[in-house]
């Protein structure tokens, strides 16, 4: 699988977000991802910066040219209803689960209208229990907002509200092998209480908390899901036009 996040697309494909053409950079990253032919693309939020149908349409058209199944989550810059109306025929839209081999990949919707931070409703958490309980195989959970502090006062102030509600729930299901998220515009990883992984933006990066060989380059995260429950991951970057690994291959918790 491949995770791309924080695209910040604009209605105008020639427009600039924080000094970069976010549409061109997303195209470059998506082209590299598609050449690797993953089984699923995770898009973990902040997809359209200006919350317009046109920006969603640009994403829809790019996904159609790629032809790889996608799971889309809303971020604080998205409108879930807009994503669903524009993308539902071309991608799975969270909250939902997608089977990848014997794995279940679950996308959550942490969007809160008018807020930078995120929240998961009691209804959605109950739904999560209901989808986890009958699935005996390994699972991966994805959402936009970090379910933990990453050590950045700026980003920790707008993370997921009451993250312990989600983490406590997930720890009750040993088949959950990790959580991936966006929002923080950087590569970040922690192994406890279970593997938690953030992804660089395809657009603009934020000063990293953890060391990175290419902290300012656009990128994505590759994930290899083994049938026995092992999870391997690597961050990739576009550096001077070339696809470049950003960190060594890392193994998660064995199944």
């Amino acid at each position: 699988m491949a995770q791309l996040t924080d695209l910040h697309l604009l209605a105008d494909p020639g427009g600039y977000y924080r000094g970069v053409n976010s549409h061109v950079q997303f195209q470059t990253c998506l082209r590299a991802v598609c050449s690797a032919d993953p089984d699923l693309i995770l898009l973990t939020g902040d997809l359209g910066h200006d919350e317009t149908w046109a920006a969603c349409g640009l994403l829809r058209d790019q996904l159609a040219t790629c032809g790889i199944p996608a799971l889309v989550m809303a971020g604080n810059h998205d409108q879930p209803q807009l994503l669903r109306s524009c993308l539902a025929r071309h991608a799975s839209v969270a909250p939902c689960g997608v089977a990848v081999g014997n794995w279940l990949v679950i996308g959550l919707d942490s969007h809160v209208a008018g807020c930078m931070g995120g929240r998961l409703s009691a209804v959605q958490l109950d739904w999560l229990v209901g989808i986890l309980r009958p699935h005996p195989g390994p699972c991966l959970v994805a959402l936009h907002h970090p379910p933990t502090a990453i050590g950045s006062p700026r980003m920790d102030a707008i993370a997921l509200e009451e993250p312990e509600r989600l983490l406590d729930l997930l720890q009750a299901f040993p088949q959950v092998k990790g959580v991936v998220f966006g929002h923080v515009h950087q590569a970040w990883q922690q192994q406890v209480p279970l593997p938690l992984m953030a992804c660089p933006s395809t657009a603009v990066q934020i000063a990293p908390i953890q060391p990175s060989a290419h902290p300012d380059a656009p990128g994505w995260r590759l994930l290899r899901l083994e049938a026995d429950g092992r999870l391997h991951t690597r961050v990739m970057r576009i550096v001077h036009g070339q696809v470049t690994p950003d960190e060594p291959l890392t193994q998660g918790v064995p199944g």
Side-chain angles (χ1 to χ4, degrees), residues 40-65:
L40 182 68
I41 295 175
L42 294 174
L43 293 156
T44 50
D46 280 2
L47 309 179
H49 182 72
D50 53 11
E51 302 183 26
T52 61
W53 179 274
C56 283
L58 290 172
L59 174 58
R60 177 198 60 211
D61 294 345
Q62 289 300 313
L63 292 176
T65 62

Side-chain angles (χ1 to χ4, degrees), residues 22-38:
S22 55
H23 180 67
V24 169
Q25 293 203 171
F26 171 63
Q27 280 185 311
T28 302
C29 292
L30 183 64
R31 191 179 304 117
V33 164
C34 290
S35 69
D37 195 26

Side-chain angles (χ1 to χ4, degrees), residues 185-199:
H185 290 238
Q186 60 190 276
W188 184 93
Q189 193 161 324
Q190 176 176 294
Q191 290 296 314
V192 292
L194 71 165
L196 305 172
M197 295 158 278
C199 182

Side-chain angles (χ1 to χ4, degrees), residues 4 7 9 13 17 19-31 201-205 216-220 238:
L4 298 107
L7 287 47
L9 300 177
Y17 163 74
V20 305
N21 185 308
S22 55
H23 180 67
V24 169
Q25 293 203 171
F26 171 63
Q27 280 185 311
T28 302
C29 292
L30 183 64
R31 191 179 304 117
S201 167
T202 62
V204 174
Q205 313 311 314
D216 299 322
W220 62 95
I238 300 292

